[in-house]
Amino acid sequence: MLHRRFAVLVSRWFVPALLATFFATPSAKADSSSALDDRLHGSALHADMEVDPTAYALKGFSLHVGVSRRNLRLDLGNFAMALPRFAHGDDGFDVSFDGYGAKLQWFLFDEQAGLFAGVDAGLVRVQARRQNTDLSVRQNQFGLGVHAGYRFTLPAGFYLTPWLGVGYQFNTSDITLADATYKTNPISLFPAVHLGFRFR
């Protein structure tokens, strides 16, 4: 019941409000030079690209493309990773996942810098393989969540973004293979650090 209420809140209020802000037409300014500067900078769409180096270190990949306007950013990503054993807690299984996701992020105090918060959704395929066997099961999970982080600007258009996400995964169930069970948890906690570049 809680996750349904959360999904309704996100779909009916928060996402439409963010999209309305993102695509809103800038108000007219009396000073034409100020209006031109606003169009070239504050109101213009900007693109960026991010990777998660940890994913590559864990036999996976990560590529995210972002489109931003003022303090709002839309992120579309494709990712994969093999979970280390301490992360999933089942010694008898190898667990990995891949998928696609989208994020809407709002930078609280500055344009595309500093503290931000947002909502996210993703489709993830989780694969659990019983060690020392050919047995494996793949689950398709849809998730909704919230996240927050901080973007540190670096020279030459680069930036570093540590963030933490909390989400709820739908369609999860425990996986039993060869008399051993991998217990899935519908609530996910995901920390990450992304390295990005913002195009001018």
Side-chain angles (χ1 to χ4, degrees), residues 99-128:
Y100 302 88
K103 300 185 184 75
L104 277 172
Q105 300 170 331
W106 179 261
F107 287 81
L108 277 67
F109 305 114
D110 200 358
E111 181 182 335
Q112 304 302 310
L115 187 65
F116 66 87
V119 295
D120 52 81
L123 178 63
V124 178
R125 300 182 299 175
V126 177
Q127 183 172 26

Side-chain angles (χ1 to χ4, degrees), residues 98-159:
D98 64 272
Y100 302 88
K103 300 185 184 75
L104 277 172
Q105 300 170 331
W106 179 261
F107 287 81
L108 277 67
F109 305 114
D110 200 358
E111 181 182 335
Q112 304 302 310
L115 187 65
F116 66 87
V119 295
D120 52 81
L123 178 63
V124 178
R125 300 182 299 175
V126 177
Q127 183 172 26
R129 185 182 67 84
R130 186 76 167 94
Q131 292 178 355
N132 303 318
T133 74
D134 295 328
L135 301 175
S136 67
V137 171
R138 186 182 293 270
Q139 282 187 359
N140 293 328
Q141 302 175 0
F142 175 73
L144 292 173
V146 295
H147 61 275
Y150 196 96
R151 177 184 284 189
F152 296 92
T153 56
L154 302 175
F158 288 93
Y159 59 87

